[in-house]
Amino acid sequence: MAVIKAFKGIRPVQDLASKIAALPYDVMNSDEAREMVIGNPHSFLHVDRPEIDLDPSIDIHDPKVYEKARENLDRMITTGEFTQDEKPCLYIYRQIMNGRSQTGIVFCASIDDYMNNIIKKHEFTRADKEEDRINHVDYCDANTGPIFLTYKEDQIASEIIEAWIENESKRKPVYNFVAEDGITHIVWVIDNDIIISELTDLFKEIDYLYIADGHHRSASAVKVGLKRRAENPNYTGEEEFNYFLAVAFPDNDLMVMDYNRVVKDLNGLTKDELIDKLQEKFIVTESTSEEPLKPAKKHTFGMYVEDKWYLLEAKDGIYDPEDPIDSLDVAILQNNVLTPILGIEDVRTSDRIDFIGGIRGLKELEKRVHKDMKIAFSMYATEVHDIMDVADIGEVMPPKSTWFEPKLRSGLFIHQLK
């Protein structure tokens, strides 16, 4: 049973929504963020990446950075760049990318659901990244970017939720703009108490919510909530700090893109020696096309080395088809190629491997091989049900398994903790 809560959203004034809305803080570094805000003082990166307004010599985890985040957020609210809804609302958020749309409900999720595994995870988190967002949420006294959740569409409640979304989205939206990357963002406000109550009850019939993206932000939001509980021992559970900002999409709306790999060397092998080793576990076929090779089905891989593309087809017996993790393509490549042949034991820490999201295109793989890498692997995209299967058994996905597009914009919804 998933608990959702309406909230008094702090939102951009209509004329500034397109200028304020920004990509999530974790898809760019500080230098890139500085470039992105040139000519746009309204960008929410001034809140989510506040170091861009400080001297570059200052450590990005210095308290001054979080103080600047709070200062910038307060200023944007005070100067009228944001407005706050007078009553608790839910919101509909639709994104359209290349003609394909995904539409979800924006609400506050329960930190207890997170701790009780009603909200399921599929990734490990790093303490340093958690600490950064804990400080950011704590200083700002707000959740500034929604956690990307999903739920199984094949439930009766989800069908009714979809019908409500369809009905409410016939009204005039409060925002409708195309961002600089060509993605359309549309938002509707649900302020009708009857509809809010209906949707809240419907989510109680949803068995689980799954984190698609935002594991560090959700873990950090929960820890700030627990910190506030400790500071307020007489809390009732209804206080805003017991909840965090989220948006949930039905799983059939989502698109997971390929997350490809490039490696710096062949671990001392020649190309012919590499192919000989690969043929023990894969059927290896040289491509006759000059175009990059995009795998067309699971358990197949494209490989680019010495200006040629090859198709690798996994042979039977090299993975357990009944094991949700072992049968993942990222696991098959790791267990049969990256570790035993190329000598990469830990993809999290090795400086010999890099990862390229499918949004960059396969030509980017060729570019990197010609520039600073030796070999590239194109992947068949992980499917949403694969993520859910792994989460359902309480396990985690291998590193760099998923790349969701489009990315949720930060700054369109802010949830205050007080």
Side-chain angles (χ1 to χ4, degrees):
M1 177 176 99
V3 174
I4 74 167
K5 182 178 182 293
F7 66 104
K8 294 180 181 180
I10 296 176
R11 304 183 287 105
V13 295
Q14 194 168 42
D15 292 345
L16 292 178
S18 63
K19 295 181 179 179
I20 288 174
L23 286 167
Y25 76 97
D26 54 356
V27 301
M28 82 284 289
N29 59 36
S30 298
D31 291 337
E32 290 168 335
R34 286 188 174 90
E35 289 291 323
M36 295 169 84
V37 302
I38 292 175
N40 183 11
H42 304 291
S43 172
F44 202 68
L45 289 177
H46 291 286
V47 176
D48 264 359
R49 278 283 188 178
E51 71 270 17
I52 64 178
D53 295 323
L54 299 172
D55 190 286
S57 65
I58 294 177
D59 186 276
I60 61 172
H61 300 122
D62 190 291
K64 293 177 182 177
V65 173
Y66 306 111
E67 290 167 359
K68 191 65 177 177
R70 178 57 186 260
E71 176 189 323
N72 286 346
L73 179 58
D74 287 347
R75 173 182 50 76
M76 294 176 80
I77 294 172
T78 301
T79 58
E81 293 172 71
F82 285 97
T83 184
Q84 184 170 26
D85 289 311
E86 295 181 356
K87 56 173 292 185
C89 301
L90 298 176
Y91 307 86
I92 298 172
Y93 183 19
R94 176 172 293 158
Q95 298 173 290
I96 303 173
M97 175 179 164
N98 297 329
R100 186 182 186 279
S101 68
Q102 60 183 36
T103 307
I105 298 284
V106 182
F107 53 77
C108 280
S110 164
I111 68 172
D112 292 301
D113 278 0
Y114 179 94
M115 293 186 292
N116 296 332
N117 213 34
I118 298 298
I119 298 174
K120 295 196 173 191
K121 309 88 180 166
H122 68 263
E123 284 185 10
F124 287 126
T125 56
R126 284 174 42 184
D128 58 335
K129 289 189 174 183
E130 275 193 33
E131 188 64 25
D132 169 58
R133 286 300 107 175
I134 288 171
N135 287 331
H136 192 274
V137 172
D138 209 13
Y139 274 75
C140 289
D141 200 25
N143 306 131
T144 59
I147 309 306
F148 190 163
L149 303 177
T150 187
Y151 56 91
K152 293 180 179 178
E153 185 269 341
D154 59 347
Q155 303 174 79
I156 293 175
S158 68
E159 295 177 6
I160 304 174
I161 291 169
E162 188 173 344
W164 274 116
I165 290 175
E166 180 65 26
N167 185 66
E168 288 299 293
S169 61
K170 293 176 181 177
R171 299 187 294 110
K172 184 179 180 180
V174 292
Y175 310 133
N176 187 346
F177 64 90
V178 179
E180 71 282 350
D181 55 6
I183 295 171
T184 299
H185 301 265
I186 311 174
V187 173
W188 293 265
V189 177
I190 301 177
D191 56 7
N192 183 300
D193 290 336
I194 295 175
I195 299 174
I196 291 172
S197 178
E198 176 74 14
L199 286 167
T200 301
D201 288 342
L202 284 167
F203 268 93
K204 290 177 182 177
E205 299 178 31
I206 297 294
D207 295 329
Y208 300 103
L209 296 171
Y210 298 80
I211 298 176
D213 201 6
H215 283 78
H216 287 93
R217 279 175 287 145
S218 54
S220 302
V222 169
K223 289 185 177 179
V224 171
L226 294 176
K227 178 175 179 286
R228 298 292 173 89
R229 285 182 175 184
E231 295 167 350
N232 299 273
N234 296 320
Y235 73 91
T236 66
E238 293 302 311
E239 298 87 355
E240 294 299 324
F241 58 71
N242 294 288
Y243 300 87
F244 59 91
L245 182 62
V247 54
F249 299 86
D251 60 353
N252 62 327
D253 264 18
L254 302 188
M255 179 175 67
V256 188
M257 298 190 76
D258 42 305
Y259 212 165
N260 304 305
R261 279 88 166 114
V262 288
V263 179
K264 284 186 177 180
D265 57 69
L266 300 186
N267 197 29
L269 301 173
T270 65
K271 185 186 76 170
D272 289 341
E273 289 171 337
L274 170 69
I275 290 176
D276 284 344
K277 288 182 175 293
L278 288 171
Q279 286 176 332
E280 296 175 13
K281 296 186 176 182
F282 298 86
I283 299 170
V284 181
T285 308
E286 183 176 335
S287 175
T288 58
S289 171
E290 294 183 1
E291 293 300 311
L293 198 159
K294 186 176 180 67
K297 61 182 180 179
K298 282 187 172 184
H299 312 329
T300 62
F301 310 82
M303 180 179 74
Y304 184 67
V305 59
E306 294 187 8
D307 297 324
K308 291 185 181 296
W309 279 97
Y310 298 83
L311 176 67
L312 310 182
E313 299 177 78
K315 294 181 178 179
D316 292 340
I318 71 167
Y319 63 91
D320 180 356
E322 301 301 319
D323 188 320
I325 299 176
D326 194 57
S327 59
L328 290 169
D329 282 0
V330 289
I332 292 172
L333 187 72
Q334 180 67 44
N335 297 337
N336 296 280
V337 181
L338 297 181
T339 296
I341 298 177
L342 295 179
I344 298 174
E345 297 291 340
D346 188 346
V347 298
R348 292 185 183 89
T349 59
S350 175
D351 61 0
R352 295 173 53 226
I353 190 168
D354 200 2
F355 305 87
I356 300 174
I359 193 69
R360 303 288 296 275
L362 296 186
K363 285 291 186 181
E364 181 67 17
L365 300 186
E366 295 182 353
K367 178 181 175 182
R368 288 295 301 274
V369 168
H370 295 153
K371 179 183 177 183
D372 60 343
M373 295 290 174
K374 184 69 175 179
I375 187 171
F377 297 95
S378 59
M379 311 291 294
Y380 185 78
T382 302
E383 297 176 351
V384 176
H385 75 82
D386 293 326
I387 300 168
M388 291 177 163
D389 289 346
V390 170
D392 282 341
I393 63 172
E395 296 291 343
V396 297
M397 299 285 287
K400 309 295 185 182
S401 296
T402 58
W403 183 280
F404 285 92
E405 286 289 346
K407 301 295 184 186
L408 305 182
R409 290 274 162 156
S410 295
L412 290 176
F413 316 96
I414 298 172
H415 167 237
Q416 282 189 322
L417 301 187
K418 57 187 177 184

